Amino acid sequence: MKITAVEAIPYTIPYAKPLRFASGEVYAAEHVLVRVHTDEGVVGIADAPPRPFTYGETQASVIAAVEGIFAPQVVGVRLVDRELIASRLARTVGNPVAKSAVDMAVWDALGRTLDLTVTDLLGGYTDRMRVSHMLGFDEPQAMVAEAERMRDTYGITTFKVKVGRTPYRRDTAVVRALREGLGEDVELYVDGNRGWSPAESARAMHEMADVGLLFAEELCPADDVLGRRWLVRQCDVPFIADESAVTPADVTREILGGSATAVSIKTARTGFTYSQRVHHLAEGLGVEVVMGNQIDSQLGSMCTVAFGAAFRLTSRRAGELSNFLDMSDDLLTEPLRIVDGHLAVRPGAGLGVEVDPDKLARYRTDR
Ligand code: MUC
Ligand code: MG
């Protein structure tokens, strides 16, 4: 089970409904499909969704890092030597999305080789996750209508609301409209993508005190250290670190420094190997975890659910697993299905999903 080659294939699929939030907007999935080949003819797959505004990576930089730096370091290594692979990838700073795709494709190839699901390899706790849907910037009535459609069509009852606009009342009005429109039975939380100052965040949270929020995520810049600690101390819901806690070391600093009280795990940026470390750290520190979405494709969402279902802590809360619904198409042979508000792990080996060669030929941009 030795790695013989690693491919990085760029593709572009437009979004039917673009996602807008405080730090950027996404009109098309300009991602990179990573394939890890072995000497037994097994091919592991994973998706790399570059997010320039969050990590500085682009489609071109992901391809350059995978082909130029990471592939030569992992070719010849056995699939089971995941810690060796992780330590080689860690020689290069940054490039979290490129590294994670290589890491997850290795786990997928290992699962296919051993005829086990990735969830079973990781921890095997359960076989599905509850789904949380992310609502991007729009007018209040449009966001309420989208949430109602998600609830009525897919049974989703947890919503993450993008906030962080100025004036902040634009967003608090949306959150209030969602609570009034959807009632007390839905779970609502907010994500500011660093858009507000600590003081604006505090005022907005104060104004929403009666709305019954589940969490608040990354409302202000993490680098405003004292301001963020001041904000987190007065928050009466867990404060999730997302962009500010990309590595296990970041998580340690944020939590012990009092500038976050919960963690978002995104497999797109910590793969499976480092997501395990973040999970174990969060469990040891006793903080809540949400499986986040990096505006993932179906393959990326499959990675999130495969990891989230593996542990009790990560499957406890609804995971952000539905952004792919806004894409105009996808690469997989069998589309993911959200049923009764849940997304299930695929029973087959590895991630249990296959890329459709015709779709890949249609959307790849390298030939
Ligand atoms: C999120 O949780 O912030 C937006 C930017 C990004 O990197 O992920 C998304 C969702
Ligand atoms: Mg976030």
Side-chain angles (χ1 to χ4, degrees):
M1 48 168 100
K2 276 193 179 159
I3 299 171
T4 52
V6 182
E7 286 178 281
I9 305 168
Y11 69 91
T12 298
I13 299 179
Y15 266 76
K17 180 179 178 301
L19 185 74
R20 296 188 187 83
F21 43 96
S23 59
E25 50 211 359
V26 175
Y27 295 97
E30 294 175 330
H31 295 189
V32 180
L33 174 70
V34 171
R35 294 202 284 214
V36 165
H37 298 255
T38 77
D39 55 359
E40 292 168 26
V42 171
V43 184
I45 54 174
D47 198 36
R51 294 288 160 248
F53 38 80
T54 313
Y55 313 108
E57 292 174 281
T58 64
Q59 208 176 27
S61 83
V62 167
I63 294 166
V66 172
E67 290 180 346
I69 308 172
F70 302 137
Q73 291 179 333
V74 302
V75 165
V77 179
R78 297 182 314 155
L79 293 174
V80 275
D81 298 334
R82 285 149 296 164
E83 289 296 314
L84 178 64
I85 294 169
S87 76
R88 290 196 178 169
L89 300 185
R91 286 176 187 161
T92 305
V93 297
N95 297 282
V97 171
K99 284 178 190 165
S100 297
V102 173
D103 174 77
M104 293 191 288
V106 167
W107 280 85
D108 181 41
L110 182 62
R112 289 170 193 262
T113 303
L114 301 176
D115 199 18
L116 290 169
T117 66
V118 168
T119 301
D120 284 344
L121 282 175
L122 285 164
Y125 178 72
T126 183
D127 66 353
R128 63 197 57 240
M129 283 190 77
R130 222 158 32 92
V131 175
S132 161
H133 181 70
M134 204 184 287
L135 298 164
F137 289 164
D138 209 329
E139 295 309 314
Q141 283 325 309
M143 291 171 73
V144 172
E146 184 184 342
E148 283 171 345
R149 185 168 63 81
M150 289 294 150
R151 183 190 57 190
D152 299 345
T153 313
Y154 301 104
I156 296 173
T157 55
T158 302
F159 298 95
K160 165 154 124 174
V161 189
K162 287 297 190 184
V163 299
R165 289 179 287 193
T166 303
Y168 68 83
R169 286 206 168 83
R170 276 182 88 184
D171 295 328
T172 55
V174 168
V175 175
R176 199 163 287 288
L178 284 162
R179 179 58 81 209
E180 281 164 10
L182 298 164
E184 293 301 319
D185 292 340
V186 302
E187 294 179 325
L188 297 176
Y189 58 111
V190 290
D191 181 2
N193 290 108
R194 300 163 281 153
W196 288 329
S197 68
E200 280 173 315
S201 308
R203 279 198 293 276
M205 288 303 288
H206 183 70
E207 202 177 291
M208 294 186 288
D210 60 332
V211 178
L213 292 176
L214 191 61
F215 301 117
E217 176 172 323
E218 209 77 64
L219 297 182
C220 60
D223 286 349
D224 298 353
V225 181
L226 296 183
R228 183 149 124 146
R229 276 189 208 152
W230 167 85
L231 171 67
V232 171
R233 263 201 307 273
Q234 55 188 293
C235 259
D236 62 356
V237 293
F239 191 95
I240 301 173
D242 175 10
E243 300 95 304
S244 61
V246 176
T247 66
D250 295 334
V251 172
T252 309
R253 273 193 292 271
E254 289 299 309
I255 301 293
L256 295 186
S259 44
T261 44
V263 177
S264 172
I265 296 183
K266 291 184 174 174
T267 51
R269 68 169 177 224
T270 36
F272 293 137
T273 304
Y274 275 86
S275 293
Q276 280 182 311
R277 285 163 163 74
V278 174
H279 161 269
H280 298 338
L281 193 53
E283 191 182 60
L285 291 166
V287 298
E288 288 221 49
V289 164
V290 171
M291 290 306 299
N293 194 310
Q294 204 155 284
I295 319 172
D296 288 299
S297 63
Q298 297 195 18
L299 178 53
S301 304
M302 206 58 233
C303 288
T304 306
V305 75
F307 185 90
F311 305 96
R312 189 189 64 85
L313 182 59
T314 48
S315 56
R316 195 159 164 252
R317 296 292 182 185
E320 295 161 11
L321 296 162
S322 61
N323 282 79
F324 71 84
L325 294 171
D326 292 336
M327 286 171 65
S328 60
D329 200 359
D330 206 279
L331 293 184
L332 299 188
T333 49
E334 260 190 72
L336 303 191
R337 301 231 177 272
I338 297 171
V339 180
D340 292 336
H342 287 78
L343 185 61
V345 167
R346 283 281 169 84
L351 295 166
V353 293
E354 303 295 341
V355 167
D356 181 329
D358 294 335
K359 289 198 169 182
L360 182 58
R362 176 162 171 212
Y363 294 115
R364 68 189 295 171
T365 52
D366 58 344
R367 43 171 90 141

